[in-house]
Amino acid sequence: MFSSVQSFKSIFLKKLESTYGKSFEETTKQDQYQVLGQMVREYISEYWILTNEKYRFTKAKTVYYLSIEFLLGRLLGNNLLNLGITDVVKKGLKELNINLDEIEEAESDAGLGNGGLGRLAACFLDSLASLELPGHGCGIRYKHGLFEQKFVDGFQVELPEQWLRQGNVWEVRKPDLAVEIPFWGRVQTYHDGERLCFQHLEAETIMAVPYDMPIVGYRNKTVNALRLWSAEPSPLPYHKDVMQYKKETEAVSEILYPDDTHDEGKILRLKQQYFLVAASVRSIIRSYRKKNNNIRDLHEKVSIHINDTHPVLAIPELMRILLDEERLGWEEAWEITTKTISYTNHTTMSEALEKWPIRIFKPLLPRIYMIVEEINERFCRELWKKYEGDWKRIEEMAIIAHDQVKMAHLAIVGSHSVNGVAYLHTEILKHREMNLFYQYEPEKFNNKTNGITHRRWLIKANPELTKLIKEGIGDKWIRQPEQLTELMRLKDDEQFLIRLKDIKQKNKEKLALRILQQTGTKVDLASIFDVQVKRLHAYKRQLLNVLHILYLFNRMKEDRNFKPYPRTFIFGAKASPGYYYAKKIIKLINTVADLVNNDKEVCDYIKVVFLENYRVSLAEEIFPAADVSEQISTASKEASGTGNMKFMMNGAVTLGTMDGANVEIFERIGSENIYIFGLRAEEVMNYYQNGGYHSREYYHYDRRIREVVDGLVNGIVSDSYGHFEPIYDSLLMQNDQYFVLKDFSSYAEAQERIGMDFSNVLEWSKKSLINIANSGYFSSDRTIGEYAKDIWKISTPQNVLQ
Ligand code: 26W
């Protein structure tokens, strides 16, 4: 089918016409996408079957990555790349006068995630398959992914996302593998001889139907699966009101919660979590049972990873199966469970730590609640042995306390490995946030610094740069990204540096076109493209960025001789619909954009662009075009960041705080190739503990700050729609929790250095090259290699069937 341009072309044409019953000329880009997608999926299925046979035959240990989010983005281009058939397809289409890029644009993003955590899961799947590791994802097939964002008068408006409107060519529905998940009802105990048994009665069941999506490895014939569960009514509902029952069931996989970090505590969310976990664990056990007969060896063949605490009910669910269905004893079941499960923490922000009130938990999941209670009791008893009399410690560590179930505590207690996502983050977990648990079981804790797949974020997103790198150092780095360090040989090669700069320039031109199309703003191609794209959060400090823009504006207005190096400030960010403050910041950025872009004296030097609906496919256009990467979170708050790595790999230079993985980027490239500013994590944490920060002093003593902050309320950036008092108040009345004013001057100073350094074309290009050369470490292949070896104990199976 893809063996030659000719055969591809003829099959494509025939299929196109037979599928749609119209002549080739009449088909739309969407028709063409659908048919090409189907062809690719068919091609994949052959390898999919072989991969599964290999796994079955070798009985290889398998990891299941449970995640409430998978932010995949588009799949066509990525699958073509990994299958190694991009060129054949591109050439064939070209002969038909079709541009592959346009077909790719007909695909909607699979946006089943909020941000970092969900995208990390997607990168991990790509790496697992590319490293030929037996590892599958388990998630929810939300009918609506993360909302579509529009700006109306500068305000964010959310529209329901509709990724399944045209169907999904990549998925395979497997109704024969559906499983029933019970909710509500009551638990009855009875005796079977000596044994106390439990029965869940009068439950309301929901059917979980799996849809499998192929995850294609990079040119290695490996195809793993992402199994997404869809909620449907059970065939025999005992309900009288069938319509009502249908609606309530389908609600479970209707929508992705658009909230990151704020735990809303809604029943539906807990339902989603148990739905994911119960369906996944049942299907994991079923597949284990097909190949193995002793359930006691489960942990030798299966590893279950929980991505943050959202799937933590996998722990009591596995216990339930081992106890109630397999009839093992508690100790035995517990040992198997903890040896099977491992857990990653993605945030230390207390608002994000999940806690469920017993009043919600217990009636919804009666049997699971009993098990959690017993886990808690046994755990507290163990603690008592070690810390007899230390009530306070035991209370603080308990899984159930003050009428709440603490999901992070359950995750730590019920797994054999707990990891953070960057060196600094893990240290903070060990020595602050989870210190009591670290004291109790230090050997559980470990770090796995995040990574990104260089296949999507470099090879796919930046083909020109990929070509240049190949010319410079060959292509070993494609399978071994750490080999990118070979580029260091070229750091003084002027010709190479010029070509690198030219590619950046081309990518900037492409992005400028997109900006013009979407916003009507014309940007200066010679300006610095200074980019901040990520979820909108107070701690990520988009505010610091925009206040600095206002400062540049003020200064230009008051001093006609002040001419900053021209800059285009580019933003992309969604705010959680209920996050009032974040939405204010969006309005502020849009208001500042209006002010700056329409000011005759300023707009030749500064432009502000806020791109709507930031998502994976847009990100792929943005990273390759960035000169400066804004990673300016309050130190200690950003667990890792992964955007920072995508920018770096595409040759942008970081302007950042010593936070998350920025610290590790800094360590690899040295201070000349990154712009570091602001408080360190230690200092921030000391201020939180001991006080001593008074934001008003910075307001009073720094005229730049005063003018900018006053501008929020005195009419400069306020308009008929709204003033920015809440932001003003957060800075002055609530003592600026995120140290925006404290870090302002060192940020402004770093920006000034950037302005000066950028004009030295060769020097800047060298920084860019050094960033690229050292980005291989941040490939998710390295990260997944570490998880596989240290946590999951899985390896590439022997290829038995040639
Ligand atoms: C309770 C709702 C909720 C939803 C999502 C709480 C917390 C989350 C996530 C933990 C938020 C998240 O995406 N965290 C990000 O994870 C990335 C991948 O590890 C890190 O790079 C980011 O620093 C971290 O903010």
Side-chain angles (χ1 to χ4, degrees), residues 116-117 120 259-263 269 308 310 346-347 352 354 421 450 539 638-642:
L117 166 133
L120 185 75
D259 225 316
D260 60 342
T261 72
H262 273 266
D263 170 18
R269 183 149 176 126
D308 216 278
H310 319 136
H346 293 266
T347 181
E354 293 194 298
V421 290
N450 280 167
Y539 83 83
E638 189 69 272
S640 162
T642 43

mmCIF file of all heavy atoms in Angstrom, residues 116-117 120 259-263 269 308 310 346-347 352 354 421 450 539 638-642, ligand 1:
data_model
loop_
_atom_site.group_PDB
_atom_site.id
_atom_site.type_symbol
_atom_site.label_atom_id
_atom_site.label_comp_id
_atom_site.label_asym_id
_atom_site.label_seq_id
_atom_site.Cartn_x
_atom_site.Cartn_y
_atom_site.Cartn_z
ATOM 1 N N GLY A 116 0.289 20.230 31.053
ATOM 2 C CA GLY A 116 1.529 19.468 31.244
ATOM 3 C C GLY A 116 1.349 17.987 31.528
ATOM 4 O O GLY A 116 1.983 17.141 30.894
ATOM 5 N N LEU A 117 0.483 17.695 32.488
ATOM 6 C CA LEU A 117 0.327 16.302 32.900
ATOM 7 C C LEU A 117 -0.195 15.422 31.765
ATOM 8 O O LEU A 117 0.285 14.305 31.543
ATOM 9 C CB LEU A 117 -0.597 16.256 34.122
ATOM 10 C CG LEU A 117 -1.181 14.919 34.541
ATOM 11 C CD1 LEU A 117 -1.024 14.728 36.030
ATOM 12 C CD2 LEU A 117 -2.654 14.860 34.179
ATOM 13 N N LEU A 120 2.456 15.113 28.943
ATOM 14 C CA LEU A 120 3.526 14.203 29.368
ATOM 15 C C LEU A 120 3.113 12.752 29.116
ATOM 16 O O LEU A 120 3.888 11.944 28.600
ATOM 17 C CB LEU A 120 3.840 14.406 30.857
ATOM 18 C CG LEU A 120 5.022 13.588 31.373
ATOM 19 C CD1 LEU A 120 6.335 14.199 30.891
ATOM 20 C CD2 LEU A 120 5.018 13.493 32.896
ATOM 21 N N ASP A 259 -10.275 21.802 34.773
ATOM 22 C CA ASP A 259 -9.644 22.393 35.919
ATOM 23 C C ASP A 259 -8.326 21.733 36.167
ATOM 24 O O ASP A 259 -8.277 20.530 36.396
ATOM 25 C CB ASP A 259 -10.539 22.112 37.128
ATOM 26 C CG ASP A 259 -10.701 23.346 37.948
ATOM 27 O OD1 ASP A 259 -9.674 24.011 38.160
ATOM 28 O OD2 ASP A 259 -11.836 23.637 38.351
ATOM 29 N N ASP A 260 -7.224 22.470 36.120
ATOM 30 C CA ASP A 260 -6.033 21.851 36.666
ATOM 31 C C ASP A 260 -5.710 22.599 37.946
ATOM 32 O O ASP A 260 -6.021 23.756 38.093
ATOM 33 C CB ASP A 260 -4.872 21.817 35.672
ATOM 34 C CG ASP A 260 -4.460 23.185 35.224
ATOM 35 O OD1 ASP A 260 -5.251 24.114 35.394
ATOM 36 O OD2 ASP A 260 -3.351 23.315 34.703
ATOM 37 N N THR A 261 -5.167 21.900 38.849
ATOM 38 C CA THR A 261 -4.767 22.359 40.180
ATOM 39 C C THR A 261 -5.907 22.640 41.164
ATOM 40 O O THR A 261 -5.718 22.450 42.339
ATOM 41 C CB THR A 261 -3.803 23.569 40.177
ATOM 42 O OG1 THR A 261 -4.503 24.723 39.788
ATOM 43 C CG2 THR A 261 -2.635 23.335 39.278
ATOM 44 N N HIS A 262 -7.064 23.121 40.736
ATOM 45 C CA HIS A 262 -8.117 23.306 41.738
ATOM 46 C C HIS A 262 -9.017 22.090 41.784
ATOM 47 O O HIS A 262 -9.706 21.773 40.832
ATOM 48 C CB HIS A 262 -8.938 24.575 41.478
ATOM 49 C CG HIS A 262 -8.292 25.757 42.115
ATOM 50 N ND1 HIS A 262 -8.636 26.185 43.369
ATOM 51 C CD2 HIS A 262 -7.300 26.552 41.688
ATOM 52 C CE1 HIS A 262 -7.870 27.222 43.691
ATOM 53 N NE2 HIS A 262 -7.053 27.470 42.680
ATOM 54 N N ASP A 263 -8.996 21.454 42.928
ATOM 55 C CA ASP A 263 -9.798 20.268 43.117
ATOM 56 C C ASP A 263 -11.201 20.713 43.488
ATOM 57 O O ASP A 263 -11.440 21.309 44.510
ATOM 58 C CB ASP A 263 -9.164 19.439 44.236
ATOM 59 C CG ASP A 263 -10.064 18.315 44.669
ATOM 60 O OD1 ASP A 263 -10.986 17.981 43.904
ATOM 61 O OD2 ASP A 263 -9.831 17.787 45.772
ATOM 62 N N ARG A 269 -16.629 13.761 39.157
ATOM 63 C CA ARG A 269 -15.198 13.562 38.966
ATOM 64 C C ARG A 269 -14.726 12.271 39.655
ATOM 65 O O ARG A 269 -13.935 11.519 39.102
ATOM 66 C CB ARG A 269 -14.435 14.775 39.488
ATOM 67 C CG ARG A 269 -12.956 14.642 39.252
ATOM 68 C CD ARG A 269 -12.268 15.973 39.043
ATOM 69 N NE ARG A 269 -10.845 15.748 38.921
ATOM 70 C CZ ARG A 269 -10.102 16.162 37.915
ATOM 71 N NH1 ARG A 269 -10.660 16.867 36.945
ATOM 72 N NH2 ARG A 269 -8.824 15.904 37.873
ATOM 73 N N ASP A 308 -0.267 10.981 38.742
ATOM 74 C CA ASP A 308 -0.847 11.792 39.806
ATOM 75 C C ASP A 308 -1.885 10.960 40.577
ATOM 76 O O ASP A 308 -1.977 9.748 40.373
ATOM 77 C CB ASP A 308 -1.450 13.094 39.265
ATOM 78 C CG ASP A 308 -1.231 14.237 40.267
ATOM 79 O OD1 ASP A 308 -2.021 14.353 41.222
ATOM 80 O OD2 ASP A 308 -0.250 14.973 40.116
ATOM 81 N N HIS A 310 -5.130 11.044 40.488
ATOM 82 C CA HIS A 310 -6.463 10.827 39.901
ATOM 83 C C HIS A 310 -6.823 9.338 39.755
ATOM 84 O O HIS A 310 -7.979 8.987 39.983
ATOM 85 C CB HIS A 310 -6.609 11.598 38.577
ATOM 86 C CG HIS A 310 -5.997 12.972 38.633
ATOM 87 N ND1 HIS A 310 -5.217 13.504 37.628
ATOM 88 C CD2 HIS A 310 -6.016 13.911 39.603
ATOM 89 C CE1 HIS A 310 -4.777 14.699 37.994
ATOM 90 N NE2 HIS A 310 -5.252 14.975 39.180
ATOM 91 N N HIS A 346 2.804 15.330 40.560
ATOM 92 C CA HIS A 346 3.065 16.406 39.594
ATOM 93 C C HIS A 346 2.922 17.805 40.154
ATOM 94 O O HIS A 346 3.006 18.779 39.400
ATOM 95 C CB HIS A 346 2.128 16.296 38.397
ATOM 96 C CG HIS A 346 2.362 15.085 37.553
ATOM 97 N ND1 HIS A 346 3.173 15.097 36.435
ATOM 98 C CD2 HIS A 346 1.908 13.826 37.677
ATOM 99 C CE1 HIS A 346 3.179 13.886 35.905
ATOM 100 N NE2 HIS A 346 2.426 13.094 36.641
ATOM 101 N N THR A 347 2.638 17.928 41.419
ATOM 102 C CA THR A 347 2.459 19.276 41.942
ATOM 103 C C THR A 347 2.564 19.284 43.462
ATOM 104 O O THR A 347 2.191 18.309 44.113
ATOM 105 C CB THR A 347 1.098 19.869 41.521
ATOM 106 O OG1 THR A 347 0.991 21.184 42.044
ATOM 107 C CG2 THR A 347 -0.074 19.051 42.037
ATOM 108 N N ALA A 352 -4.225 21.649 44.917
ATOM 109 C CA ALA A 352 -4.382 20.592 43.917
ATOM 110 C C ALA A 352 -4.378 19.201 44.544
ATOM 111 O O ALA A 352 -4.677 18.230 43.882
ATOM 112 C CB ALA A 352 -3.280 20.695 42.884
ATOM 113 N N GLU A 354 -5.674 16.194 46.093
ATOM 114 C CA GLU A 354 -7.056 15.715 46.143
ATOM 115 C C GLU A 354 -7.440 15.153 47.498
ATOM 116 O O GLU A 354 -6.725 14.325 48.075
ATOM 117 C CB GLU A 354 -7.247 14.621 45.101
ATOM 118 C CG GLU A 354 -7.146 15.132 43.696
ATOM 119 C CD GLU A 354 -7.680 14.087 42.735
ATOM 120 O OE1 GLU A 354 -7.095 12.989 42.680
ATOM 121 O OE2 GLU A 354 -8.693 14.374 42.074
ATOM 122 N N VAL A 421 8.970 15.012 39.404
ATOM 123 C CA VAL A 421 9.170 15.137 37.961
ATOM 124 C C VAL A 421 10.344 16.036 37.567
ATOM 125 O O VAL A 421 10.549 16.302 36.385
ATOM 126 C CB VAL A 421 7.869 15.584 37.267
ATOM 127 C CG1 VAL A 421 6.832 14.466 37.307
ATOM 128 C CG2 VAL A 421 7.292 16.858 37.901
ATOM 129 N N ASN A 450 11.221 14.967 33.926
ATOM 130 C CA ASN A 450 10.365 14.863 32.741
ATOM 131 C C ASN A 450 11.147 14.948 31.438
ATOM 132 O O ASN A 450 12.305 15.374 31.413
ATOM 133 C CB ASN A 450 9.349 16.017 32.739
ATOM 134 C CG ASN A 450 8.163 15.757 33.661
ATOM 135 O OD1 ASN A 450 7.382 16.651 33.960
ATOM 136 N ND2 ASN A 450 7.996 14.538 34.108
ATOM 137 N N TYR A 539 0.681 31.368 39.644
ATOM 138 C CA TYR A 539 2.077 31.039 39.963
ATOM 139 C C TYR A 539 2.991 31.040 38.742
ATOM 140 O O TYR A 539 4.207 31.164 38.853
ATOM 141 C CB TYR A 539 2.163 29.697 40.719
ATOM 142 C CG TYR A 539 2.147 28.461 39.852
ATOM 143 C CD1 TYR A 539 3.322 28.000 39.254
ATOM 144 C CD2 TYR A 539 0.980 27.738 39.630
ATOM 145 C CE1 TYR A 539 3.320 26.867 38.453
ATOM 146 C CE2 TYR A 539 0.969 26.599 38.841
ATOM 147 C CZ TYR A 539 2.136 26.167 38.249
ATOM 148 O OH TYR A 539 2.142 25.048 37.454
ATOM 149 N N GLU A 638 6.653 25.478 40.115
ATOM 150 C CA GLU A 638 6.469 24.694 38.890
ATOM 151 C C GLU A 638 7.195 23.368 39.065
ATOM 152 O O GLU A 638 8.425 23.331 39.141
ATOM 153 C CB GLU A 638 7.040 25.455 37.692
ATOM 154 C CG GLU A 638 6.712 24.837 36.340
ATOM 155 C CD GLU A 638 5.233 24.960 35.978
ATOM 156 O OE1 GLU A 638 4.468 24.067 36.358
ATOM 157 O OE2 GLU A 638 4.863 25.961 35.334
ATOM 158 N N ALA A 639 6.440 22.280 39.114
ATOM 159 C CA ALA A 639 7.069 20.998 39.405
ATOM 160 C C ALA A 639 8.221 20.712 38.438
ATOM 161 O O ALA A 639 9.325 20.363 38.855
ATOM 162 C CB ALA A 639 6.029 19.891 39.347
ATOM 163 N N SER A 640 7.956 20.845 37.148
ATOM 164 C CA SER A 640 9.022 20.620 36.176
ATOM 165 C C SER A 640 8.920 21.615 35.030
ATOM 166 O O SER A 640 9.837 22.364 34.728
ATOM 167 C CB SER A 640 8.922 19.193 35.618
ATOM 168 O OG SER A 640 9.649 19.088 34.408
ATOM 169 N N GLY A 641 7.748 21.614 34.384
ATOM 170 C CA GLY A 641 7.640 22.310 33.110
ATOM 171 C C GLY A 641 8.106 21.348 32.038
ATOM 172 O O GLY A 641 9.005 20.510 32.272
ATOM 173 N N THR A 642 7.474 21.392 30.887
ATOM 174 C CA THR A 642 7.929 20.600 29.748
ATOM 175 C C THR A 642 7.997 21.493 28.508
ATOM 176 O O THR A 642 8.757 21.214 27.581
ATOM 177 C CB THR A 642 6.992 19.398 29.486
ATOM 178 O OG1 THR A 642 5.637 19.841 29.596
ATOM 179 C CG2 THR A 642 7.240 18.292 30.473
HETATM 180 C C1 26W B 1 -7.533 18.167 41.039
HETATM 181 C C2 26W B 1 -7.351 18.741 39.712
HETATM 182 C C3 26W B 1 -5.973 18.664 39.161
HETATM 183 C C4 26W B 1 -5.803 18.454 37.817
HETATM 184 C C5 26W B 1 -4.546 18.385 37.271
HETATM 185 C C6 26W B 1 -4.862 18.796 39.954
HETATM 186 C C7 26W B 1 -3.611 18.732 39.417
HETATM 187 C C8 26W B 1 -3.440 18.527 38.071
HETATM 188 C C9 26W B 1 -2.053 18.421 37.479
HETATM 189 C C10 26W B 1 -1.125 17.823 38.498
HETATM 190 C C11 26W B 1 -1.537 19.708 36.958
HETATM 191 C C12 26W B 1 -0.366 19.532 36.008
HETATM 192 O O1 26W B 1 -0.556 19.379 34.827
HETATM 193 N N1 26W B 1 0.866 19.602 36.527
HETATM 194 C C13 26W B 1 2.032 19.754 35.677
HETATM 195 O O2 26W B 1 2.591 18.504 35.351
HETATM 196 C C14 26W B 1 3.653 18.635 34.412
HETATM 197 C C15 26W B 1 4.101 17.265 34.016
HETATM 198 O O3 26W B 1 4.765 16.647 35.064
HETATM 199 C C16 26W B 1 4.766 19.475 34.981
HETATM 200 O O4 26W B 1 5.742 19.672 33.996
HETATM 201 C C17 26W B 1 4.229 20.826 35.441
HETATM 202 O O5 26W B 1 5.252 21.555 36.097
HETATM 203 C C18 26W B 1 3.049 20.637 36.366
HETATM 204 O O6 26W B 1 2.454 21.882 36.689
#
